[in-house]
Amino acid sequence: MSSRKIRVLVAKPGLDGHDRGAKVVARALRDAGMEVVYTGLRQTPEMIVEAALQEDVDCIGMSILSGAHMALFPKVTELLKKEGVDDILVIGGGIIPEDDIPALKAAGISKLFGPGTPLEEIVEFVRNNVKKA
Amino acid sequence: MSADKLVEGVLKGKRRSLARLISMIENEDPSADEALSTLYKHTGKAHVIGVTGPPGSGKSTIVARMTAELRRRVRTIGIVCVDPSSPFSGGALLGDRIRMQEHTLDSEVFVRSMGTRGHLGGLARATSDAVRAIDAFGKDIVIVETVGAGQSEVEVVELAHTVIVTDVPGSGDDIQAIKAGIMEIADIFVVNKSDLDGADKKVTEINAMLDIAPNMEDWRPPVLLTNANSGEGIPELVDKIEEHMKYLHESGTLETRGLKRSREELEKLMEYKLTRELLTKLQGTREYDEAIKKIAERKDDPYTVAERLIAEFLVKHRE
């Protein structure tokens, strides 16, 4: 009767106050049967990583619309590495210029979803790529 | 992760071990039972505070403020917040952490969100074991925030030493206050959003209800006004919690309740394990499906069949 549920942390790093997109994604993941921990606005990378560890999530999904993604996304993966965590899938979304994507991927952000991404695509990606057994 | 390693991690204060153990408890992983049974002797030290009340009455904000006040009094804290899982998708949106952001980076505070996963009563099935894990981890105080409770979600009383019931002004008349259920479980009442009209009236109504309640214990639940947004009334609330802790110790109530709780827990656990054992034996077998079909076709009745199946199960297990 053991039942494993996918747990996702949806976070808004940085200072922009636009969380409509994050909420829509959170809702879609919830409707796909996942447990979504939403932590609200203005999170530092340290707060995101700490919350992810305490909540033992399978995936961290971050949304940034302010342009700070090059600074904040890699900081999160760096902190995870420092904690010795290698089994949390990290994905991002928001306004991310194409040119920035290779560098973000190299930094350990597995996938970046831009505006207009169908929600099913995000749900499927999470479902197929979480790493924990 | 193996049970032994988890136990070692939890006892050493490693938060990732604790986090993983709670997931295993939630997922009903057999290793979790093993770990909990080893950890049991390290538990019983934490004071457990339950916070319950209707949705939107300020539970999360009160918990966050209480935590800040308790930290000022150098207590270490674990928090379990329960939110409902969808009965349709099984998913959940766990949003209680939003109010607790200020404590995220405090290493003496551990916060865990939990979906009910189909369990009724205001908590998840895993909540009491998660509280126990946090107790073994060494936190002085564990706060359990229930789902937004209606009238009958009173399970938290089985788990908490001190139950705080929150309410807000304007939520029903004095008859609501004397109905059975949630109004009976409070050790402390909090009327939050004290800046709203009718706050004093609410306090009066609850006090009037307490006036006509038969006095079972020497502790009369105080009715406090708070404004969790501004923090008003929170130090007084924490004072009352500490007073209640003292009362439980000195009156011997803690001991009697502890016995009662152990009995209830044991019985619940046996019931659960027995049912699970029985159902794993039956489900998927042809005879079982046959029996169900007969009941649906009115060729047999569920009362007789249940008696028979249980009797067969018990006989088989006597050997």
Side-chain angles (χ1 to χ4, degrees):
Chain A
M1 271 211 274
S2 136
S3 55
R4 178 101 179 74
K5 267 203 196 303
I6 296 176
R7 287 169 66 86
V8 184
L9 181 80
V10 171
K12 281 282 304 169
L15 296 175
D16 76 271
H18 305 281
D19 64 346
R20 180 80 187 245
K23 283 177 182 157
V24 170
V25 171
R27 169 78 202 255
L29 296 171
R30 185 205 90 177
D31 288 340
M34 301 179 197
E35 287 183 348
V36 183
V37 180
Y38 182 58
T39 49
L41 299 170
R42 291 182 283 280
Q43 303 283 299
T44 63
E46 286 80 5
M47 288 161 90
I48 292 171
V49 168
E50 186 56 39
L53 293 182
Q54 293 182 10
E55 297 289 351
D56 191 28
V57 296
D58 307 275
C59 172
I60 299 174
M62 294 181 283
S63 159
I64 292 191
L65 292 98
S66 64
H69 51 273
M70 293 305 272
L72 297 174
F73 283 178
K75 187 78 210 257
V76 167
T77 46
E78 187 193 313
L79 288 169
L80 283 173
K81 212 173 283 168
K82 217 187 253 168
E83 287 283 348
V85 177
D86 56 3
D87 56 358
I88 297 181
L89 174 72
V90 182
I91 56 176
I95 310 295
I96 318 283
E98 284 288 326
D99 292 352
D100 291 346
I101 291 179
L104 290 172
K105 284 199 165 165
I109 320 297
S110 298
K111 182 91 176 171
L112 293 138
F113 299 96
T117 308
L119 290 167
E120 303 80 64
E121 195 182 316
I122 302 175
V123 168
E124 276 313 295
F125 186 84
V126 172
R127 204 174 262 151
N128 295 331
N129 290 279
V130 290
K131 300 166 186 174
K132 286 181 189 165
Chain B
M1 208 182 286
S2 79
D4 289 349
K5 255 188 122 180
L6 269 180
V7 168
E8 196 193 313
V10 169
L11 291 177
K12 276 195 182 147
K14 288 192 181 150
R15 68 204 192 298
R16 276 182 72 200
S17 304
L18 175 62
R20 185 56 54 88
L21 175 58
I22 295 177
S23 300
M24 289 165 66
I25 294 168
E26 288 194 282
N27 294 334
E28 298 184 12
D29 187 314
S31 308
D33 275 7
E34 207 183 316
L36 284 167
S37 101
T38 321
L39 285 174
Y40 190 80
K41 59 175 175 292
H42 299 278
T43 63
K45 284 170 249 161
H47 188 83
V48 183
I49 303 171
V51 179
T52 189
S57 58
K59 291 184 294 299
S60 303
T61 313
I62 290 172
V63 169
R65 291 285 185 177
M66 255 166 56
T67 302
E69 181 62 31
L70 285 162
R71 289 293 298 127
R72 267 192 282 280
R73 302 182 190 192
V74 249
R75 308 248 188 195
T76 61
I77 316 240
I79 302 173
V80 180
C81 336
V82 190
D83 264 332
S85 299
S86 162
F88 306 106
S89 70
L93 193 92
L94 312 173
D96 293 319
R97 270 195 103 94
I98 297 173
R99 313 259 177 260
M100 296 167 197
Q101 288 197 40
E102 61 174 303
H103 303 298
T104 306
L105 294 179
D106 180 347
S107 61
E108 301 298 349
V109 179
F110 182 95
V111 183
R112 182 60 178 243
S113 318
M114 201 173 258
T116 52
R117 299 197 183 180
H119 190 80
L120 301 174
L123 301 175
R125 219 191 76 76
T127 307
S128 69
D129 283 342
V131 167
R132 185 158 284 158
I134 297 173
D135 183 354
F137 184 69
K139 295 296 185 203
D140 301 331
I141 289 182
V142 185
I143 305 176
V144 178
E145 181 189 335
T146 73
V147 302
Q151 295 175 308
S152 62
E153 287 96 337
V154 295
E155 214 177 55
V156 68
V157 77
E158 290 167 24
L159 164 101
H161 300 108
T162 303
V163 175
I164 298 170
V165 172
T166 62
D167 207 341
V168 285
S171 64
D173 59 11
D174 53 339
I175 298 301
Q176 296 299 335
I178 56 173
K179 283 190 180 170
I182 196 168
M183 298 303 280
E184 296 175 279
I185 63 169
D187 296 304
I188 299 170
F189 282 100
V190 168
V191 177
N192 191 34
K193 309 195 184 180
S194 59
D195 52 324
L196 296 183
D197 276 350
D200 290 329
K201 182 164 175 263
K202 189 90 215 171
V203 172
T204 310
E205 280 169 6
I206 297 172
N207 268 318
M209 177 273 287
L210 292 169
D211 288 340
I212 56 171
N215 244 347
M216 312 280 274
E217 281 180 29
D218 296 331
W219 176 267
R220 178 186 162 116
V223 188
L224 307 176
L225 272 171
T226 61
N227 181 344
N229 261 339
S230 70
E232 242 169 288
I234 299 296
E236 291 79 0
L237 171 60
V238 173
D239 286 345
K240 284 291 172 201
I241 293 170
E242 291 186 333
E243 222 174 279
H244 187 246
M245 284 163 77
K246 215 170 135 218
Y247 161 77
L248 288 176
H249 279 282
E250 287 172 358
S251 64
T253 313
L254 201 63
E255 214 173 308
T256 28
R257 280 203 203 171
L259 266 176
K260 188 166 165 259
R261 194 162 299 158
S262 296
R263 174 190 293 273
E264 282 166 358
E265 184 180 17
L266 179 64
E267 289 176 358
K268 229 173 164 179
L269 203 61
M270 289 194 296
E271 185 186 318
Y272 175 73
K273 297 227 175 230
L274 212 54
T275 315
R276 192 168 65 170
E277 192 77 14
L278 178 65
L279 289 180
T280 10
K281 286 263 151 50
L282 290 173
Q283 278 167 349
T285 65
R286 233 200 30 214
E287 298 95 288
Y288 191 52
D289 293 340
E290 257 336 283
I292 291 169
K293 206 167 144 228
K294 273 192 186 154
I295 295 170
E297 290 167 349
R298 301 294 186 279
K299 287 179 189 153
D300 217 336
D301 68 276
Y303 313 98
T304 318
V305 175
E307 292 258 1
R308 195 190 72 224
L309 291 176
I310 292 169
E312 282 172 10
F313 174 79
L314 291 177
V315 168
K316 250 183 230 162
H317 277 254
R318 202 167 287 160
E319 283 103 58

